[in-house]
């Protein structure tokens, strides 16, 4: 029986850890890349778009579309993390300067088109600011029903920030966009219009995922896992090492030691592995809810009436009706009501979770609290060491 395909849309702002995520994605042969969106964030959008294109071209994947996105947040001026990722957003890496052009379709329209093309199946992964997806919601309000599940790298819950004292970079870059996305996807889950809560991976969890020079050397080595590695992929890894050298230096300057927190690849990998496990085990839907989550996205009772949504396979309908859930891989999670602070003079952009139920609101997000970083990093190491050519073992 052929392995199920996983359609996935990645929204990123490359960025050095974004580049690792892109490399990991290219190594997953059972994933159909429905598109890659670039956002302003770690660098201006023109640069992040060039970086995404450059990393893809370096890997020989000129078939993948990169969709340029928003150049500024919805309600504030843009800021960039050039001290963290370098003037080009790629550290010391030298990426191709000419060649692969960006798509004529902007990121917001690309989100909407990908979701319509894969109703109920598309995995959405957001590892940059939420601006593109927020704008896509204006174009297609049904996105929370069309997208199978959304995975978000962002936030800091009761934790010191990496941008302001209590805030994380992606959310801080565009708090209004993050608020809009969490509200839309969370409300769809609460209402029963979508079977899954959005997953949030905040920095207090993802900072456990640490790249070291020793692990990087293992990735670049030619061991038993990489007998068929191509010279092209070795060149790709050489440039990733150059990018990471800058990232190591920044983290050392910032007081963390000569290492790098690599948030983004974990979130992407968790999304892919979650989709694989959901297909394999048939655990689809929400825990503790006696409503058929399929019905909420597949009948005329609710807002979504698109014929393509109602065409999901009948055998999946039976699976979804059971109300089982598939855990987020390599993680311990909890559900809570989440909101974004938009007006605080000291805390604008802070993600707030109502752990004690004081708001009397239902949970609208699944929050990753702890990550089995070593197990994930072993998976990442294996994937990058092998290079494109097959999925790794979980």
């Amino acid at each position: 029986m052929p392995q199920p395909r996983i359609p996935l849309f990645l929204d990123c702002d490359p960025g050095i850890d974004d580049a690792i995520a892109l490399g990991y994605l290219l190594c997953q042969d059972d994933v159909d890349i429905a598109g890659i969106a670039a956002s302003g964030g770690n660098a201006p959008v023109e640069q992040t778009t060039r970086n995404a294109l450059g990393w893809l071209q370096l890997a020989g994947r000129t078939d993948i579309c990169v969709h340029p996105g928003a150049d500024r947040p919805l309600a504030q001026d843009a800021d960039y993390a050039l001290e963290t990722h370098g003037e080009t957003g790629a550290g010391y890496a030298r990426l191709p300067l000419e060649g692969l052009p960006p798509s004529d379709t902007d990121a917001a329209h690309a989100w909407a088109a990908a979701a319509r093309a894969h109703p109920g199946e598309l995995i959405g992964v957001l590892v940059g600011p939420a601006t593109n997806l927020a704008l896509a919601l204006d174009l297609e309000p049904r996105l929370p029903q069309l997208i199978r599940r959304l995975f978000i790298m962002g936030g800091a819950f009761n934790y010191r920030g990496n941008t302001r004292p209590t805030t994380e970079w992606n959310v801080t870059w565009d708090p209004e966009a993050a608020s809009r996305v969490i509200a839309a996807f969370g409300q769809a889950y609460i209402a029963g219009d979508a079977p899954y809560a959005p997953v949030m991976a905040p920095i207090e969890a993802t900072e456990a995922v640490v790249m070291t020079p020793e692990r990087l050397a293992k990735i670049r080595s030619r061991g038993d896992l990489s007998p068929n590695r191509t010279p092209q992929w070795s060149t790709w890894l050489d440039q990733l090492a150059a990018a990471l050298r800058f990232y190591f230096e920044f983290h050392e300057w910032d007081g963390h030691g000569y290492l790098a927190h690599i948030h983004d690849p974990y979130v992407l990998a968790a999304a892919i592995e979650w989709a694989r496990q959901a297909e394999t085990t048939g655990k689809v839907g929400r825990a503790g809810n006696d409503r058929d989550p399929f019905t909420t996205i597949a009948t005329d009772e609710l807002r979504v009436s698109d014929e393509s949504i109602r065409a999901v396979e009948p055998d999946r309908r039976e699976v979804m009706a059971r109300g089982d859930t598939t855990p987020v891989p390599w993680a311990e999670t909890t559900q809570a009501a989440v909101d974004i602070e938009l007006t605080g003079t000291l805390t604008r952009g802070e993600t707030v979770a109502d752990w004690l139920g004081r708001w009397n609101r239902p949970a609208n997000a699944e929050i990753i609290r702890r990550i089995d970083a070593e197990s994930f990093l072993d998976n990442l190491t294996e994937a990058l060491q092998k290079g494109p050519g097959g999925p790794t073992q979980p």
Side-chain angles (χ1 to χ4, degrees), residues 9-14 35-39 48-49 52 65-69 106-108 110-111 132:
F9 191 95
L10 174 65
D11 198 323
C12 54
D13 60 334
I36 293 172
S39 169
T48 60
T49 301
C65 290
V66 175
H67 305 276
D106 66 61
W111 264 110
N132 295 331

Side-chain angles (χ1 to χ4, degrees), residues 221-264:
S221 68
R222 282 189 170 274
D224 293 339
L225 294 177
S226 55
N228 299 317
R229 181 193 293 170
T230 65
Q232 186 169 44
W233 188 248
S234 293
T235 299
W236 195 96
L237 291 176
D238 290 344
Q239 294 307 312
L240 179 65
L244 278 166
R245 181 162 56 89
F246 186 97
Y247 217 27
F248 292 152
E249 291 173 1
F250 165 77
H251 281 79
E252 184 176 46
W253 172 86
D254 205 32
H256 300 288
Y258 197 75
L259 49 77
H261 298 141
I262 53 169
H263 315 272
D264 296 349

Side-chain angles (χ1 to χ4, degrees), residues 74-133:
L74 298 180
Q76 63 185 23
D77 292 334
D79 192 13
Y80 305 111
L82 303 183
E83 72 281 1
T84 305
H85 296 270
E87 289 298 316
T88 67
Y92 298 124
R94 295 183 178 181
L95 301 179
L97 297 177
E98 304 291 340
L100 194 62
S103 171
D104 292 332
T105 303
D106 66 61
H109 283 85
W111 264 110
R116 291 169 185 152
H118 304 279
E121 298 293 333
L122 184 71
I123 300 296
V125 180
L126 178 61
V127 297
T131 317
N132 295 331
L133 185 51

Side-chain angles (χ1 to χ4, degrees), residues 32 53 84 105 125 163 199 207 263 315 321 346 371 380:
D32 291 329
L53 291 167
T84 305
T105 303
V125 180
T163 305
V199 175
E207 281 187 352
H263 315 272
D315 59 337
L346 299 177
I371 295 171
L380 175 72

